[in-house]
Amino acid sequence: MYKVLIIDDEPVVRKGIINVIGWEGFGCRIVGEAANGIEGKNLILEHRPDIILTDIYMPEMNGLDMIRETLSAVPKAQIIVLTGYRNFDYIQEALRLGAADYLLKPTKLGAIQNCIHKAVQTLDERKQTSEEIVKLEKLFNEARPILLEKRLRDAIFHVSPTDDAFMKDMELFDFHLSDYYLLLAEIADVTEAYNLQLSKLGIRNAFVETFGSQLQVTPIDIGNKRILFIMQASDGHEDLLDVDRIMEGIENFMEMVKDVFDIEFDGALSTHGTKISELYQKASECMKTIEYKHYLGDGAILLAQDFLTEKYDDIGLIAMYQEPFLQAVKVGNVDAVHDILEKIKVSYEETYCFKAFDIQDFIVRLTYDVLNYVLIHSDLELAAFKMDAMKIQKALTQSRGVEAVFELLSIWSADVAKNRHAAQTENIDSLVLKAKKYMEMHYSENISLKEVAEYVNISTYYLSRLFKKETGRNFSEHLTDFRMEKAKSFLTDTDMKLYEIAIQVGISDPHYFSRLFKKNVGVPPTQFREKEIE
């Protein structure tokens, strides 16, 4: 039940409110009454009521000061002010302090009951919302390990980047990573799905239990027969994160699992990691290293540092260039094509982080991406280029080494990009020419940028920018220039009056026409005519 406190310096009012209103019917109970603000303050701090009915003018401390001094203790309380003073400033201050209702004495019983009913409804809604939030928080906390594992798995397989959004998720999960190793465990000789899952669960739980007292261990199921363990030092135990100690502990653990569960697995330990953004790289190390297990026999633990003799990351680290590269070719951005190719070249020439076969395969794929685009694009014909599909295919198969295929890609992609740029430029010229012709045909009418844009079927913004870029003048300036040139012809070759010429060039106000002509030509139209006649 909700707790109610009555504060009023008139005993009759307090007793009336307490005895007349059926509080139990509202799900409430009276926890106290006070005759002044000081008593009320003490009772509020003692009982923390849900509903407070208070007067304003009371001895020792008024109701507003009492609310002000206790508001932090009962921020969600429903405060109903009862007073005989009709003062707007008091009403405004009470509402500012969070009062739910304001009633003037004498007040009908029904009015008070309505206020109580509204207060209870508000409290019920808040309680329900609070309970829902608690339920959601409980569900989230229960699902936290699963959600964290999924997010880390996404990072390990490069499904999502370790960007700002990822880091915010890690903060939400209270997961931090700065000094760690990864262990990849691959279960051997278990094929039946049910037994495999039992084996993975057994190894997972046993590993956490064995190493969890010394290291922070985060297990990640990465599918098939593999589990990845993130091992990082607990506070004050950084010395435990030593390769030799870890190796010794893993070897003992493998023997225990074999003896107790009759489960055997191979393992691969990454090099030392210092950042969460390196998860993908460290996991890749483990997955590459585990492939050498047959050299050491079953139940072996392999160190990545022994097998990765060169700094070698997966080609996925530069795969991000694939989409923007093809897009640059499609839109004819030759500079962007050269820029992206230069970045790819720097990656394999200066960082030495890729094997020659992998980078060559990646470049070949980019070449075929461009070729496929040309083949399916209706506006492009292979005959327009230096090389056709057969020549490209032959050149790729005959090319030896990364430099040869890179040079082929550079020439081919630049050729296609230049073609697209020329086509787009021609299209732009055509649009501007079409717009100009429309203007020349309708200059005598009250035409607008919107009207012309609709005619050439592009947006007003695009047409305006095209005009500025192609002519150096915006639409209205170009239209005015054309109209003034026509006006010059009429002034020179006809004896039409100024207002007739103004109308003829699409300007209905002759005075405005004269001002515009002088501004554009330098002299008034009459003076221009006289000069031309002379």
Side-chain angles (χ1 to χ4, degrees), residues 5-6 27 43 83 116 119 144 146 153 164 213 240 261 274 278 324 355 367 375 385 416 435 442 472 478 480:
L5 185 63
I6 312 297
L43 288 175
T83 184
I116 300 299
R144 183 191 297 264
I146 299 172
R153 186 163 51 242
D164 291 342
S213 60
L240 298 176
F261 301 108
T274 58
E278 296 173 343
K355 289 180 178 176
T367 306
L375 290 173
F385 304 107
V416 176
H442 300 273
H478 183 81
T480 299

Side-chain angles (χ1 to χ4, degrees), residues 3 54 63 68 70 178 203 205 258 297 300 424 463 476 490:
K3 295 180 289 185
T54 181
R68 195 176 290 108
T70 59
S178 59
I203 291 176
N205 292 341
K258 174 67 175 174
Q424 184 65 17
L463 179 59
S476 59
F490 287 126

Side-chain angles (χ1 to χ4, degrees), residues 138-192:
K138 183 181 178 183
L139 288 172
F140 175 76
N141 289 328
E142 290 173 353
R144 183 191 297 264
I146 299 172
L147 296 173
L148 173 60
E149 184 173 347
K150 181 186 181 304
R151 208 69 178 88
L152 292 173
R153 186 163 51 242
D154 288 346
I156 285 166
F157 285 107
H158 243 215
V159 174
S160 58
T162 50
D163 54 9
D164 291 342
F166 178 84
M167 299 308 296
K168 286 180 181 178
D169 283 351
M170 293 302 102
E171 290 291 334
L172 178 64
F173 293 125
D174 195 25
F175 184 82
H176 306 278
L177 204 56
S178 59
D179 192 22
Y180 65 95
Y181 286 91
L182 296 188
L183 172 70
L184 175 63
E186 184 176 79
I187 299 171
D189 301 326
V190 180
T191 55
E192 201 275 322

Side-chain angles (χ1 to χ4, degrees), residues 439 446-456 458-465 467 474-476 479:
M439 292 165 61
N446 185 25
I447 59 173
S448 64
L449 175 65
K450 182 180 179 182
E451 180 182 338
V452 179
E454 288 176 351
Y455 174 74
V456 296
I458 58 175
S459 69
T460 54
Y461 175 80
Y462 188 32
L463 179 59
S464 178
R465 293 300 296 265
F467 254 98
N474 62 35
F475 172 82
S476 59
L479 178 60

